[in-house]
Amino acid sequence: MKTVRRRAIGALVLATAGATVLAACGGGSGSGSGAGDSAAGEGKKSTTVTLVSHDSFAASKQVLAEFTKETGYTVKVLRGGDAGAAVNQAILTKDHPRGDVFFGVDNTLLSRALDNGLFDPYTAKDLDQVASDVQLDATRHRVTPIDSGDVCVNYDRAYFTGHKLAPPQTFADLVKPAYKNLLVTENVSTSSPGLAFLLGSVATYGDGGWPAYWKQLKKNGVQVVDSWEQAYNESFSGSGAGKKAKGDRPLVVSYASSPPAEVVGVSPEPAQSPVGVSTGTCFRQIEFAGLLHGAKNTAGGKALIDFMIGKTFQQDMPLEMYVDPVREGAAEPEVFTKYGAKIDHPTTLAPDTIAAKRDDWVKAWTSIVL
């Protein structure tokens, strides 16, 4: 199964990241914003633009080759662990950035990146084609929205059918005795979906009510693991990897896009995915890219951000990173829309609220649950 979104926001540690060149260097001079850029101190045009990201960044070779053809730049990716670890690493190295563009900071951690001055402002080409509700830095343009996705509880259809039990659909359902010892979630201090699930509960029960809710979840046997990979691929009985690992939890905090990931490549296609989505438990994540302050190849970085909100890249994302495009009119593959859950009313919290309260919520959650 392809990576279905993951992302941890681990402790402030520097992960060793390998560099991967994803597209062959194209010939000819760069066009548009790519032309004439110079490598620092060398007086030569840099033919490489370096993207710093989390481990789950993915794009098809054909699409990145198209970027090279259009601009003359080769994309090199430096992966820095899960999303939060990558953000923290970028903060620690901000005086000597490791690349030109950072991709992967989401709305749960956006204030941390902005407050640390990671990005230079840049108004991307065709930004007017991006939905206004995801432009959370619209007045300053330090980051550009690239994708969105919904963190939701997923369920193992076979388990609930076999036990003649209706799957839970809301946060309130999860604390009912019928679902005791069935849910696995991620540590909110080490996992982005884990943090998003906590924020969803805050949005649902309020700043004064969520602690009592989590006490009920703990009493109802919620299991906590460090990462999405552990939760979905090892503990969750509904995923292909979880079955191989003999996972015994039929409920997991994952994404609304998990179901199509379990179907892609399966022949013949089943009538429905083996994984379902509890649509009343979802929290909306928005993921951004930004031009790193002090980047050596700023022109190449701008060209890459422009490309990432262009139709070619946006239409490639759903089956590469299992996320929704933010560009209006970008088409999604049929398998993605057929099997993925459409969440019309996800919970959300204002970025300013997250920024002001996040650390206190994480500390309180840790005290209650761990």
Side-chain angles (χ1 to χ4, degrees):
M1 169 180 141
K2 286 203 173 210
T3 300
V4 184
R5 308 263 297 186
R6 47 332 65 185
R7 286 176 300 171
I9 55 167
L12 283 167
V13 291
L14 282 174
T16 301
T20 305
V21 177
L22 292 181
C25 181
S29 61
S31 62
S33 59
D37 189 47
S38 298
E42 295 181 3
K44 298 179 181 179
K45 176 188 172 183
S46 171
T47 58
T48 299
V49 57
T50 301
L51 177 69
V52 182
S53 189
H54 48 62
D55 283 347
S56 295
F57 171 81
S60 67
K61 291 180 180 180
Q62 296 93 327
V63 164
L64 289 173
E66 180 63 27
F67 171 74
T68 300
K69 180 180 178 181
E70 289 180 7
T71 66
Y73 291 112
T74 299
V75 178
K76 182 171 75 173
V77 178
L78 296 179
R79 293 179 172 85
D82 291 328
V87 171
N88 291 333
Q89 186 177 23
I91 291 171
L92 290 172
T93 59
K94 67 179 182 178
D95 293 333
H96 303 282
R98 300 168 62 241
D100 306 304
V101 173
F102 185 92
F103 165 73
V105 60
D106 64 38
N107 51 313
T108 69
L109 293 168
L110 182 59
S111 64
R112 182 178 297 171
L114 297 182
D115 291 347
N116 278 277
L118 278 190
F119 305 116
D120 283 339
Y122 174 60
T123 303
K125 179 183 176 182
D126 286 350
L127 189 60
D128 60 341
Q129 300 299 309
V130 173
S132 59
D133 62 342
V134 298
Q135 296 191 39
L136 302 187
D137 193 42
T139 59
R140 299 182 65 178
H141 300 295
R142 291 165 293 180
V143 290
T144 300
I146 304 297
D147 65 72
S148 68
D150 295 303
V151 172
C152 314
V153 170
N154 290 186
Y155 59 86
D156 177 356
R157 291 185 188 275
Y159 175 91
F160 287 96
T161 298
H163 287 76
K164 295 181 173 55
L165 177 63
Q169 289 300 330
T170 65
F171 282 97
D173 287 342
L174 296 171
V175 299
K176 294 178 179 178
Y179 307 109
K180 186 176 179 66
N181 298 328
L182 300 188
L183 175 66
V184 57
T185 189
E186 302 86 358
N187 189 326
V188 305
S189 64
T190 57
S191 165
S192 180
L195 177 58
F197 185 59
L198 168 61
L199 296 180
S201 69
V202 173
T204 301
Y205 293 102
D207 201 7
W210 74 263
Y213 175 74
W214 276 92
K215 289 176 182 177
Q216 293 178 65
L217 268 185
K218 183 178 181 181
K219 185 178 180 181
N220 214 35
V222 64
Q223 180 186 33
V224 177
V225 297
D226 284 338
S227 69
W228 175 88
E229 286 83 357
Q230 285 178 277
Y232 193 86
N233 292 328
E234 297 178 20
S235 297
F236 179 46
S237 62
S239 69
K243 289 182 178 71
K244 291 178 182 178
K246 301 188 186 306
D248 61 358
R249 295 269 166 160
L251 296 172
V252 64
V253 172
S254 188
Y255 290 84
S257 55
S258 300
E262 295 292 339
V263 172
V264 170
V266 175
S267 182
E269 284 188 354
Q272 62 181 2
S273 173
V275 173
V277 176
S278 302
T279 56
T281 64
C282 301
F283 182 86
R284 176 70 43 93
Q285 281 186 318
I286 304 163
E287 203 166 25
F288 301 87
L291 185 68
L292 285 165
H293 177 69
K296 293 180 180 180
N297 188 353
T298 56
K302 291 175 181 179
L304 181 58
I305 293 173
D306 289 345
F307 186 77
M308 291 177 78
I309 62 170
K311 269 194 174 182
T312 299
F313 187 89
Q314 289 280 302
Q315 293 180 163
D316 187 57
M317 289 191 309
L319 293 185
E320 290 294 327
M321 292 190 284
Y322 290 89
V323 291
D324 293 305
V326 295
R327 184 185 176 102
E328 296 175 352
E332 296 179 329
E334 182 182 1
V335 68
F336 191 83
T337 56
K338 179 180 178 180
Y339 294 100
K342 180 174 175 56
I343 310 303
D344 293 322
H345 303 290
T347 56
T348 60
L349 286 172
D352 290 347
T353 301
I354 297 174
K357 298 280 192 173
R358 180 185 56 235
D359 292 345
D360 289 340
W361 288 334
V362 170
K363 289 177 183 177
W365 180 93
T366 300
S367 177
I368 293 167
V369 180
L370 301 183

